[in-house]
């Protein structure tokens, strides 16, 4: 069973604590505190989803305590329990402490369990939709409806049938593998170059599976250092490390019952790989700075543009983690390997550009589509999308003619041509210079000729880069203008 939630009961009467614990303990992890001070100590060391606090306590009222909790720990859903009808306190609790429910004594066990389940659901849904804090007007029913609508739209948008491909495309076999994987609760590893649509396939697998009604969350594992990545995935307590200014629920917990997509998994460090392996083996996480572990039920779909088998052999990626992730491997072909799909994808992108740029009359000239098919697209679908947007911006009429990218390649060799020359009969010096020239050209095109950014990426000074531009006669771009 996946983790249901942690409930903090605050009551100065031990018998009341025990009564609440007995009722809730079967469905939740229950922590008890006899005073506001003890409760704050627990909140400092644990991630709590909901708080049930008695209104009348010796040194401080429940509303006063929860008002302070709202300022220091805004995420837990706050509830008051009382045997008295105190209208002024109720109003104060709703307005000042953000009280979600005012529970009257004597309470009914079944009704109490339902209320607490709704509170935990509210916590999770608000985290999933990135709603800050607890809005007492945002009931679980309302948020559930909003999330349900969004998931329904996503399921339609990311259906396998919406992955654009021609009948004879190699993507046909990939999609069939994805459909098979979606039917079973198995870890999937998607490999392929950057920009080939790995996340798109991952979403289709999720929304085609039995987990479609739960969350799909994404994390780029190559974008963060280990400590921040652990915090993002597993959660953390306030103060667990420098920069942890508040409690954070991890994405594994947000995705409980659903799917987590770990992009660029090949970029993770060996130290982090050990921690991720344990999570996958034990199906449990422990937020940084927290004292207890919690169970999670999450399907993992990972992706990488690296050859992970080669990384394993080189000792840079753990073999045991690789086999955990690659239970069902799927490879995404590069766009140059499926030229029959290029016109279909281009037309689909253009349809989106028409709407976003408010230019409904845009259309491709036949020569433009022919140029698209001939170009090798080293940046894959992402590069194609960028090129069509650039064409639309530069076009003076509704007809998009020769692709600007192909025009910028005037006199320049493709990566394939460079490799062919490197494997030819040229001297070592000529081969090295040709490769160096190719790398500089690629970076110049990537940064639109911006000398500072190119120099920074290549680890050169501006003067050193300009010397190389002069040496290789690259002082002007494809349009005859000097690089900036």
């Amino acid at each position: 069973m996946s983790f249901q939630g942690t409930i903090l009961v605050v009551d100065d009467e031990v018998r009341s604590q025990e009564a609440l614990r007995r009722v809730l303990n079967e469905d939740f992890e229950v922590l008890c505190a006899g005073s506001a001070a003890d409760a704050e100590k627990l909140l400092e060391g644990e991630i709590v989803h909901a708080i049930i606090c008695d209104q009348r306590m010796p040194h401080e009222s429940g509303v006063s305590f929860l008002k302070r909790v709202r300022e220091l720990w805004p995420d837990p859903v706050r509830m008051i329990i009382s045997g008295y009808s105190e209208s002024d306190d109720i109003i104060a609790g709703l307005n000042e402490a953000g009280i979600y429910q005012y529970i009257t004594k004597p309470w009914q066990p079944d009704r109490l369990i339902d209320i607490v389940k709704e509170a935990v659901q509210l916590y999770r849904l608000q985290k999933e939709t990135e709603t800050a804090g607890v809005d007492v007007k945002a009931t679980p029913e309302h948020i559930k409806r909003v999330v349900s609508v969004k998931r329904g739209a996503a399921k339609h948008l990311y259906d396998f049938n919406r992955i654009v491909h021609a009948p004879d495309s190699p993507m046909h076999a990939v999609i069939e593998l994805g459909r098979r994987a979606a039917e079973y609760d198995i870890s999937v590893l998607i490999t392929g170059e950057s920009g080939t649509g790995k996340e798109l396939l991952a979403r289709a697998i999720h929304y085609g599976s039995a987990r479609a009604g739960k969350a799909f969350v994404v994390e780029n594992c190559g974008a963060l250092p280990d400590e921040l990545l652990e915090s993002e995935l597993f959660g953390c307590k306030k103060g667990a490390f420098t920069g942890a200014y508040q409690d954070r629920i991890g994405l594994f917990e947000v995705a409980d019952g659903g799917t987590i997509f770990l992009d660029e998994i090949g970029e993770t460090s060996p130290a982090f790989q050990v921690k991720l392996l344990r999570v996958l083996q034990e199906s449990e996480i422990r937020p940084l700075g927290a004292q207890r572990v919690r169970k999670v039920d999450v399907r993992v779909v990972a992706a990488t543009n690296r050859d992970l088998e080669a990384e394993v052999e080189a000792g840079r990626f753990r073999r045991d983690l690789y086999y955990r992730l690659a239970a069902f491997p799927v490879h995404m072909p590069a766009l140059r390997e499926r030229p029959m799909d290029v016109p279909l994808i281009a037309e689909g992108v253009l349809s989106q550009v028409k709407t976003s740029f408010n230019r409904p009359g845009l259309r491709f000239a036949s020569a433009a589509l022919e140029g698209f098919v001939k170009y090798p697209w080293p940046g894959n679908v992402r590069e194609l999308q960028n090129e069509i947007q650039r064409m639309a911006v530069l076009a003076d009429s509704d007809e998009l003619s020769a692709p600007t990218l192909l025009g910028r390649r005037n006199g320049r060799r493709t990566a394939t041509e460079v490799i062919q020359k490197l494997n030819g009969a040229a001297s070592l010096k000529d081969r090295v210079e040709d490769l160096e020239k190719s790398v500089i050209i690629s970076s110049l095109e990537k940064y639109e000729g911006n000398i500072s950014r190119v120099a920074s990426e290549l680890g050169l000074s501006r003067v050193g880069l300009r010397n190389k531009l002069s040496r290789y006669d690259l002082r002007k771009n494809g349009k005859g203008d000097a690089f900036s």
Side-chain angles (χ1 to χ4, degrees):
M1 178 183 293
S2 63
F3 184 75
Q4 297 299 305
T6 299
I7 313 302
L8 173 58
V9 172
V10 187
D11 198 313
D12 61 300
E13 295 185 6
V14 176
R15 286 199 306 174
S16 295
Q17 290 181 25
E18 291 303 318
L20 289 167
R21 185 196 293 273
R22 281 196 301 271
V23 171
L24 298 175
N25 206 43
E26 187 172 336
D27 295 287
F28 309 96
E29 180 181 16
V30 181
L31 308 176
C32 292
S35 66
D38 290 342
E40 288 188 22
K41 290 179 182 178
L42 285 171
L43 286 168
E44 289 174 354
E46 298 290 344
I47 291 180
V48 172
H49 297 79
I51 302 172
I52 301 176
C53 184
D54 187 37
Q55 167 60 1
R56 291 197 171 186
M57 296 188 293
H59 303 294
E60 185 175 18
S61 71
V63 166
S64 174
F65 166 63
L66 291 181
K67 182 180 178 182
R68 189 165 65 257
V69 168
R70 187 184 194 184
E71 296 172 354
L72 298 175
W73 298 279
D75 291 332
V77 178
R78 298 168 292 279
M79 295 173 282
I80 283 287
I81 190 166
S82 178
Y84 302 90
S85 298
E86 302 153 300
S87 58
D88 291 342
D89 285 338
I90 293 174
I91 293 172
L94 291 175
N95 293 339
E96 298 175 15
I99 302 300
Y100 166 65
Q101 283 279 1
Y102 197 101
I103 305 167
T104 57
K105 296 179 181 179
W107 39 264
Q108 297 297 317
D110 291 344
R111 176 57 183 153
L112 179 66
I113 291 172
D114 288 342
I115 290 172
V116 176
K117 283 183 177 179
E118 289 177 354
V120 173
Q121 182 185 46
L122 177 60
Y123 178 99
R124 293 189 186 281
L125 290 175
Q126 288 185 150
K127 284 297 183 182
E128 184 180 334
T129 55
E130 297 183 350
T131 303
V134 175
D135 180 354
V136 295
K137 296 179 182 178
T139 64
E141 291 76 15
H142 170 72
I143 296 182
K144 188 189 296 184
R145 285 195 297 271
V146 172
V147 172
S148 178
V149 169
K150 289 183 177 180
R151 285 177 179 162
K155 187 170 184 176
H156 173 71
L157 181 63
Y158 297 109
D159 187 86
F160 284 109
N161 292 329
R162 293 178 66 88
I163 298 178
V164 179
H165 67 289
D168 57 341
S169 168
M171 278 301 297
H172 180 73
V174 171
I175 291 170
E176 287 307 307
L177 285 175
R179 290 184 191 275
R180 290 291 187 95
E183 295 176 4
Y184 301 93
D185 214 17
I186 188 172
S187 297
V188 178
L189 177 65
I190 306 174
T191 59
E193 297 178 7
S194 295
T196 51
K198 296 189 289 294
E199 183 178 334
L200 184 65
L201 181 64
R203 289 182 182 274
I205 290 172
H206 169 73
Y207 288 108
S209 74
R211 294 178 177 267
K214 296 293 185 178
F216 177 88
V217 298
V218 179
E219 182 60 69
N220 186 328
C221 298
L224 297 172
D226 281 6
E227 202 166 55
L228 288 180
L229 184 57
E230 286 183 56
S231 170
E232 285 288 317
L233 292 179
F234 311 142
C236 73
K237 286 297 300 175
K238 178 181 178 181
F241 58 90
T242 303
Y245 300 117
Q246 61 183 6
D247 291 351
R248 177 188 292 276
I249 182 173
L251 292 182
F252 266 90
E253 190 170 343
V254 173
D256 192 28
T259 303
I260 188 166
F261 177 58
L262 302 178
D263 199 8
E264 304 297 349
I265 191 67
E267 307 301 321
T268 54
S269 71
F272 177 79
Q273 291 168 24
V274 173
K275 296 172 183 178
L276 178 59
L277 177 63
R278 177 172 176 78
V279 170
L280 300 184
Q281 287 176 333
E282 306 297 332
S283 296
E284 64 183 24
I285 58 171
R286 184 163 83 174
L288 291 173
Q291 299 173 6
R292 293 177 174 82
V293 299
R294 51 193 61 189
K295 286 289 184 180
V296 289
D297 172 24
V298 177
R299 180 190 198 164
V300 175
V301 179
T304 181
N305 57 15
R306 290 176 177 263
D307 182 346
L308 278 196
E309 290 187 353
E311 294 293 299
V312 168
E313 294 303 322
R316 291 186 291 267
F317 199 87
R318 291 185 63 94
R319 187 179 300 274
D320 43 8
L321 178 58
Y322 170 74
Y323 287 121
R324 278 276 174 182
L325 296 172
F328 195 92
V330 181
H331 181 72
M332 292 289 286
L335 190 55
R336 63 182 173 275
E337 297 169 1
R338 48 187 184 115
M340 67 291 291
D341 294 341
V342 172
L344 297 175
I345 296 173
E347 291 289 357
V349 173
L350 182 61
S351 179
Q352 297 172 356
V353 170
K354 287 178 182 179
T355 301
S356 59
F357 288 11
N358 193 25
R359 295 185 62 181
L362 288 175
R363 63 188 182 279
F364 290 122
S366 58
L369 289 175
E370 291 172 4
F372 282 155
V373 173
K374 293 177 181 177
Y375 184 67
W377 299 109
N380 293 294
V381 177
R382 191 174 297 129
E383 184 184 7
L384 175 59
Q385 292 171 334
N386 292 343
E387 179 61 20
I388 293 171
Q389 291 176 346
R390 186 183 296 112
M391 289 172 69
V393 170
L394 296 176
D396 295 324
S397 67
D398 284 343
E399 185 173 79
L400 306 182
S401 54
T404 58
L405 183 89
L406 303 183
R408 275 209 316 275
R409 292 177 67 245
N410 182 31
R412 298 178 184 177
R413 289 182 295 277
T414 66
T416 302
E417 291 168 338
V418 170
I419 291 172
Q420 288 174 345
K421 180 169 182 180
L422 289 177
N423 292 331
S427 67
L428 177 61
K429 179 175 180 293
D430 289 341
R431 296 187 196 187
V432 170
E433 288 181 348
D434 204 69
L435 179 60
E436 184 177 61
K437 180 179 178 180
S438 176
V439 170
I440 293 172
I441 288 172
S442 176
S443 191
L444 286 168
E445 291 184 345
K446 177 180 178 181
Y447 293 114
E448 303 288 340
N450 186 305
I451 293 297
S452 297
R453 298 184 70 181
V454 171
S456 176
E457 178 177 88
L458 300 181
L460 299 170
S461 66
R462 285 176 59 91
V463 173
L465 177 58
R466 288 192 181 279
N467 287 339
K468 290 184 182 294
L469 294 178
S470 176
R471 177 182 180 183
Y472 295 127
D473 195 24
L474 298 174
R475 289 170 293 180
K476 296 183 180 294
N477 61 22
K479 298 179 180 178
D481 302 322
F483 286 118
S484 58

